[in-house]
Amino acid sequence: METYWTSFDTKTAPCLTTDVLVIGSGAAGLQSAWSAAEAGRQVLVVVRDELQDSNTAKAQGGIAAALGQDDDPRLHFHDTLVAGAGLTDETMAEIVVTEGPKAVLDLLHHGAQFDKNPDGTLALGREGCHSRNRIVHANGDSTGAEVSRALREITSKESRIKSLEHCYVTDLLVKDGTCYGAMALHDGKLVHLKANDVVIATGGVGRLFAHTTNPEGATGSGIALAYRAGAELMDMEFVQFHPTALAIPGHPSFLVSEAVRGAGALLYNTKGERFMPNYHPMKELAPRDVVARAIATEMKKCGTDHVLLDATVIDDVEHKFPMIYETLKDYGVDMKAERIPIAPAAHYMMGGIRTDAWGHTNISHLYACGEAACTGLQGANRLASNSLLEGLVFGRRTAQAICNERKTEDGEGLEWHSDLAACTSTPDQWAKDRTAAQERMSRQLGIARDKDDILDAQQALAAKMADYEKQAADTYELLDLKSQLLVSWLIAGAALQREESRGAHYRLDFPKPRECWRHHSVEEREGSVAHA
């Protein structure tokens, strides 16, 4: 397994120095940058595209927090455990549900514009598997965009925070189990980013699949980065598929938020039959893995590539969900008057870089938070709207850990270099291989899996990885492809090991959960899968 993907020499590369290097500009990344800067640290935030491009900015759903008069963190804790299908880490869940309300109110205090009732209180909605109305929204269905905007505004005013756009981190610099920074490709040139502490907050892996709600950069690059440096990964088999993404040929898999079902929308198959009462007592508000599998079953039964979501039953739907309404209208669907064709799409990664409650990885001074990390909070199936909350809570905790732990060795005098052959493949080949891998992941490691499919995918991915091994990656496109192949292969390996069905991981050959597998899986650099 390659450690480095680029050819470089830190003796000659241009160098930028900072206290804290944050990779990613979603909720987790910007929250950690904000908190570290408030504590006096100099922070550099780097992003592969622009600051506003993140999974957070695309999130329609809200932030779950026990802020209602009839709610309590213990109820939120219980709902999180139910959704997690027996794998939720109770310590992490307790931290998030307890510290979450303050994180939301802090954002509100610093200018976030969340929806309110006429009396000035926060308007709280409900989504799948929640026992109370506790979902904070912004402009109905644009919560992530508002959280992203508020955090960008806050961090832009902080003199200790600098940002570097169009900067793709290629390799971590680790010596004797300690991280000292990274190499990055910025405007076509490699630069040495020297840092006392590094935070990976790069988001998810949805772009590993042919149909996804995720933005273009969600290729698991941060997970690949950490794994190559020796960081442990956890629960890589658990990829959540959102049940309701637009399914019209020629159009993207646009997410139709779970909040639409929370407001009363119903699911029908193409024969006009409402089917969710046959699958779960909570019907359309069942856990996401249950709804996604039910939809897949109905699609197979009817021989179609979609089912139908009926939002015509929602009064004033165009004002409750303005962004969804206008986007669907652009795609030729009037959600006030007709049912919406939908199908499941890859959405959220429950697994990722293994961390503790303070963002520590097994590499000293390398941290991770948000969707790229795995604390065990999400278990085998994330509870709706816990993701933005997780990013805010653990982003802050990660910064607190950094500020409480000074590095005794600053890396002065240490040098790194890598010498790889020039790349011989072409952009056309990269695009072809990327599409083939995405289609394979959707076909063989999607909602339903079995041993033969997983093995076939694992072997094909390994063969394709070998084609690019020891070739220097000096473009974003090739870096993305190499990340895609590696993380897809890691997902396949973890999925093969877990011989049961639990949460978002469903095995046709092991269709029920097994008590012997009620534990987390941990992937190490050598390729072994351990229990945790």
Side-chain angles (χ1 to χ4, degrees):
M1 180 66 66
E2 300 169 291
T3 298
Y4 303 122
W5 281 353
T6 53
S7 292
F8 63 86
D9 190 333
T10 55
K11 288 186 296 184
T12 57
C15 183
L16 296 174
T17 301
T18 187
D19 291 335
V20 183
L21 172 64
V22 176
I23 310 169
S25 61
L30 292 184
Q31 178 69 67
S32 64
W34 173 21
S35 298
E38 279 194 319
R41 298 293 192 271
Q42 296 293 326
V43 182
L44 176 63
V45 178
V46 298
V47 291
R48 54 162 284 160
D49 295 308
E50 297 181 351
L51 283 173
Q52 65 265 30
D53 296 320
S54 66
N55 278 12
T56 291
K58 301 296 183 183
Q60 296 173 11
I63 309 175
L67 292 165
Q69 291 187 348
D70 65 341
D71 204 358
D72 183 273
R74 298 305 301 177
L75 295 173
H76 189 183
F77 174 85
H78 174 266
D79 294 345
T80 299
L81 263 59
V82 169
L87 275 194
T88 303
D89 186 301
E90 295 190 12
T91 299
M92 302 302 178
E94 186 168 2
I95 287 168
V96 167
V97 301
T98 302
E99 299 181 12
K102 182 180 184 304
V104 174
L105 294 176
D106 279 353
L107 261 189
L108 185 67
H109 176 72
H110 282 85
Q113 301 296 311
F114 296 132
D115 295 344
K116 295 182 180 179
N117 296 312
D119 63 1
T121 59
L122 286 170
L124 302 175
R126 185 177 298 194
E127 293 181 1
C129 214
H130 286 275
S131 59
R132 294 289 188 277
N133 283 26
R134 65 167 67 98
I135 313 301
V136 178
H137 288 283
N139 195 27
D141 54 6
S142 302
T143 313
E146 176 56 21
V147 169
S148 178
R149 183 207 63 78
L151 286 170
R152 292 199 312 274
E153 183 172 313
I154 292 165
T155 53
S156 70
K157 296 175 181 177
E158 177 53 72
S159 62
R160 295 185 183 90
I161 299 176
K162 308 297 182 186
S163 62
L164 200 59
E165 298 181 323
H166 307 292
C167 183
Y168 196 126
V169 176
T170 63
D171 303 290
L172 293 177
L173 302 177
V174 175
K175 182 78 170 179
D176 297 329
T178 298
C179 187
Y180 293 93
M183 297 300 297
L185 193 64
H186 181 233
D187 289 337
K189 297 180 180 179
L190 281 168
V191 60
H192 177 195
L193 304 176
K194 186 177 178 182
N196 290 325
D197 300 279
V198 176
V199 179
I200 297 177
T202 50
V205 304
R207 286 286 165 177
L208 305 187
F209 297 83
H211 304 289
T212 180
T213 63
N214 286 189
E216 192 63 31
T219 58
S221 60
I223 295 172
L225 192 68
Y227 180 77
R228 289 186 285 120
E232 294 175 341
L233 308 181
M234 190 163 84
D235 293 349
M236 291 294 291
E237 60 269 42
F238 295 113
V239 180
Q240 185 178 78
F241 286 74
H242 198 288
T244 54
L246 182 68
I248 298 178
H251 292 300
S253 299
F254 172 73
L255 177 67
V256 181
S257 171
E258 187 160 321
V260 177
R261 280 177 285 133
L266 304 174
L267 285 163
Y268 293 85
N269 62 27
T270 53
K271 294 179 180 179
E273 301 163 338
R274 186 182 172 203
F275 56 86
M276 277 312 301
N278 301 327
Y279 290 91
H280 197 278
M282 295 184 76
K283 303 170 188 176
E284 278 78 7
L285 295 183
R288 284 181 174 176
D289 62 308
V290 175
V291 181
R293 284 197 298 275
I295 291 172
T297 301
E298 293 295 317
M299 286 162 51
K300 184 176 182 180
K301 184 174 78 174
C302 296
T304 59
D305 61 359
H306 67 279
V307 296
L308 298 164
L309 180 67
D310 186 1
T312 65
V313 296
I314 302 173
D315 293 335
D316 205 24
V317 68
E318 69 273 30
H319 295 115
K320 289 178 179 175
F321 304 102
M323 189 269 288
I324 295 174
Y325 175 76
E326 290 298 332
T327 303
L328 290 177
K329 190 175 178 181
D330 289 342
Y331 294 148
V333 178
D334 182 356
M335 66 187 294
K336 286 194 305 180
E338 60 186 312
R339 293 173 177 176
I340 308 161
I342 59 91
H347 183 60
Y348 187 87
M349 181 56 157
M350 272 76 72
I353 305 162
R354 187 186 190 189
T355 72
D356 66 7
W358 299 97
H360 297 105
T361 70
N362 60 305
I363 297 175
S364 180
H365 296 275
L366 175 66
Y367 301 80
C369 52
E371 191 175 352
C374 182
T375 63
L377 165 70
Q378 312 295 3
N381 184 45
R382 175 175 67 90
L383 178 66
S385 289
N386 265 1
S387 53
L388 290 176
L389 191 70
E390 177 190 30
L392 295 174
V393 169
F394 286 115
R396 175 179 291 177
R397 284 180 147 255
T398 297
Q400 290 172 343
I402 287 170
C403 295
N404 288 334
E405 301 164 17
R406 276 291 189 182
K407 185 184 287 187
T408 56
E409 170 59 59
D410 64 4
E412 198 64 40
L414 294 178
E415 297 174 353
W416 289 264
H417 72 277
S418 168
D419 187 15
L420 300 174
C423 179
T424 57
S425 53
T426 65
D428 285 347
Q429 186 63 49
W430 305 340
K432 179 181 176 181
D433 288 343
R434 181 181 186 186
T435 298
Q438 289 171 327
E439 291 175 350
R440 181 177 295 279
M441 288 296 287
S442 288
R443 184 174 65 253
Q444 297 181 308
L445 281 150
I447 293 173
R449 308 160 172 178
D450 64 31
K451 181 178 179 179
D452 290 343
D453 273 345
I454 298 170
L455 274 171
D456 185 63
Q458 187 182 42
Q459 292 165 2
L461 290 162
K464 188 53 62 176
M465 287 165 60
D467 288 347
Y468 291 97
E469 195 168 10
K470 302 191 184 306
Q471 293 188 36
D474 56 4
T475 67
Y476 287 11
E477 292 81 7
L478 185 51
L479 287 162
D480 270 344
L481 175 60
K482 294 187 75 162
S483 293
Q484 175 188 354
L485 294 172
L486 174 56
V487 178
S488 295
W489 176 77
L490 289 164
I491 291 170
L496 184 64
Q497 291 286 331
R498 184 172 288 276
E499 295 182 332
E500 67 158 355
S501 290
R502 184 181 297 276
H505 172 70
Y506 185 73
R507 288 277 297 259
L508 293 167
D509 45 349
F510 295 96
K512 295 185 180 300
R514 301 167 69 192
E515 192 60 29
C516 64
W517 269 101
R518 192 170 177 172
H519 57 73
H520 300 285
S521 58
V522 178
E523 184 84 14
E524 299 175 289
R525 172 68 188 272
E526 291 73 20
S528 62
V529 177
H531 298 174

